[in-house]
Amino acid sequence: MTTHTQTNSDAKTPFPLNMWYLAALSKELTDKPLARTLLNTPIVLFRDAQGHASALEDRCCHRQLPLSMGTLEKEGLRCGYHGLLFNGQGQCLEVPGQKKVPRKAKVMPFTLKEHDDLIWIWFGSEQGSTPVQDPPRYLYHSDEKYVYDGDVYHYQAPFQLIHDNLLDLSHLGYVHLKTIGGDAKTHMHAQMDVEAIGDKVTVKRYMPNSTPPPTYTAAYPFKDKIDRWQEIEFYPSHLRIWTGGIDANSESVTNPNRGGFHMRGLHCITPETEETCHYFWTISTNPTTDIENVKQKVVEQTRYTFNEDKVVIEAQHKSMKHFKGQPMIDIHVDTGANHARRIIKRLCEA
């Protein structure tokens, strides 16, 4: 096996640019502005009176107070220091106490696109650049066969450590014994196929005749042993992970139209800084009876699972900082993660 240290010293930028990143789940924008640092940039997100989502640089152009400390009004966002009012395009509409609004009274806006209950933000290599493609769609949020929910976590760890974790699901048998884990030996010996094309990495793992883990038995009436699948798609802005199980030998586990129990996870990891990030996730599942109760079980078990991952990844990052420069070995389960790291490195150097 190879050894390596995880550095990106030749990169022109610490993060890939000219792409969409997830800025927020739609449900996060309510009646208050939301402060969030994305790619080292402080940003304020808010909705106007018509429900349209906007994003501005999080500073007032008067005395630099974060606009996220202000209040939402019908016309826009009012600064909490001297009351300057800004619309969703960053233009100052009003300066209390004076009739004329200075021509330069504006702050930088960001391009947003909201669909599928997700709010995407464009980060270009140049300020004010126009998006060159639409943001990703995720139609399982509106698919009548699925119900879903999700959340956002703040990580004290770099975004690529979460990529590594999600592209290597062999850890389930060691980290997630109480939820989606199962037998560790089965995970480590699973049939695995990895393919990297362009900016996409696909990892497929199959585990026939497995013992169903606790989350699966809580959500679906399996008869006994199951055939499990784990199918992962990596893109620089997000990962899609489709996992599930069918009764053993009941049908082909590789058939994309297979039945059984499904968990479709959307994982959007957006850098905050070089050493911190935001992890947005949703989980969609396909109950046929007791739908709301099963959904809540799956969501809560998923949340418990991700809490376990967070503890591991943040501890890993802390250890990596302490042992900075020490080599790490690769093993067979690292193939997908190493492909993803090469993609990110290439995009940062472009």
Side-chain angles (χ1 to χ4, degrees):
M1 299 295 177
T2 60
T3 62
H4 64 98
T5 54
Q6 306 219 354
T7 62
N8 201 22
S9 57
D10 296 330
K12 295 181 180 178
T13 169
F15 319 114
L17 297 175
N18 295 317
M19 59 180 274
W20 295 92
Y21 286 91
L22 200 66
L25 303 176
S26 292
K27 66 180 182 179
E28 291 187 271
L29 296 195
T30 57
D31 59 347
K32 294 180 176 60
L34 175 65
R36 185 156 281 161
T37 296
L38 307 173
L39 280 64
N40 285 323
T41 306
I43 289 171
V44 58
L45 298 125
F46 62 96
R47 292 193 187 279
D48 61 23
Q50 290 72 44
H52 178 74
S54 297
L56 305 175
E57 188 175 40
D58 193 9
R59 67 174 192 92
C60 180
C61 57
H62 174 225
R63 289 295 182 264
Q64 310 281 20
L65 185 76
L67 286 172
S68 56
M69 296 178 66
T71 55
L72 293 179
E73 300 184 3
K74 182 178 180 180
E75 294 82 6
L77 177 57
R78 190 175 294 277
C79 177
Y81 199 2
H82 297 92
L84 278 69
L85 180 65
F86 296 88
N87 64 16
Q89 290 73 51
Q91 188 66 48
C92 181
L93 303 178
E94 177 190 352
V95 179
Q98 68 182 61
K99 292 184 178 180
K100 185 177 180 180
V101 175
R103 180 174 55 84
K104 294 183 179 180
K106 55 187 176 182
V107 294
M108 184 171 67
F110 291 82
T111 300
L112 295 184
K113 179 72 173 182
E114 182 173 12
H115 52 214
D116 307 322
D117 293 337
L118 304 167
I119 300 175
W120 297 89
I121 186 169
W122 175 259
F123 276 93
S125 56
E126 297 181 5
Q127 182 176 321
S129 65
T130 301
V132 296
Q133 72 270 338
D134 290 331
R137 298 301 306 263
Y138 197 69
L139 301 180
Y140 299 106
H141 286 174
S142 56
D143 190 320
E144 62 182 12
K145 296 190 295 293
Y146 290 89
V147 289
Y148 87 97
D149 201 357
D151 205 349
V152 56
Y153 287 178
H154 181 265
Y155 263 72
Q156 295 291 333
F159 72 114
Q160 286 185 274
L161 289 187
I162 304 177
H163 291 170
D164 294 347
N165 172 272
L166 294 172
L167 281 160
D168 163 29
L169 296 187
S170 68
H171 75 271
L172 269 60
Y174 297 96
V175 180
H176 306 306
L177 296 177
K178 296 180 180 179
T179 54
I180 60 174
D183 177 63
K185 184 177 291 186
T186 300
H187 277 285
M188 294 303 290
H189 290 85
Q191 172 194 338
M192 183 172 70
D193 299 311
V194 181
E195 182 180 59
I197 300 177
D199 294 342
K200 178 182 177 181
V201 179
T202 302
V203 179
K204 296 182 179 181
R205 290 162 43 88
Y206 301 101
M207 292 166 285
N209 203 36
S210 302
T211 300
T215 298
Y216 285 39
T217 56
Y220 194 85
F222 290 110
K223 297 174 182 177
D224 189 13
K225 297 286 188 176
I226 65 171
D227 295 336
R228 294 182 67 175
W229 72 86
Q230 298 170 336
E231 298 179 354
I232 309 164
E233 294 179 355
F234 165 87
Y235 304 89
S237 65
H238 69 287
L239 293 90
R240 302 167 184 237
I241 302 181
W242 185 16
T243 60
I246 53 177
D247 285 312
N249 301 311
S250 62
E251 57 181 302
S252 172
V253 72
T254 62
N255 183 351
N257 297 315
R258 66 213 142 193
F261 172 63
H262 295 205
M263 294 175 67
R264 288 187 177 270
L266 175 67
H267 309 261
C268 302
I269 299 92
T270 301
E272 180 184 52
T273 67
E274 286 84 348
E275 294 195 351
T276 59
C277 63
H278 304 283
Y279 179 9
F280 305 90
W281 61 268
T282 70
I283 192 72
S284 305
T285 191
N286 64 331
T288 55
T289 60
D290 199 12
I291 292 175
E292 189 60 29
N293 187 43
V294 170
K295 183 189 84 168
Q296 289 305 318
K297 285 182 181 178
V298 170
V299 170
E300 288 308 311
Q301 297 253 316
T302 300
R303 182 175 283 110
Y304 188 94
T305 297
F306 293 164
N307 287 337
E308 293 175 321
D309 278 328
K310 189 173 187 290
V311 171
V312 168
I313 293 170
E314 290 184 339
Q316 176 195 12
H317 177 52
K318 185 176 180 180
S319 179
M320 291 173 70
K321 290 172 67 178
H322 179 81
F323 294 104
K324 186 176 181 180
Q326 293 295 317
M328 295 181 290
I329 66 165
D330 289 333
I331 62 175
H332 67 287
V333 298
D334 298 319
T335 305
N338 287 340
H339 279 302
R341 281 189 170 272
R342 285 192 284 270
I343 290 170
I344 295 296
K345 185 175 186 292
R346 170 171 52 79
L347 294 175
C348 288
E349 294 173 353

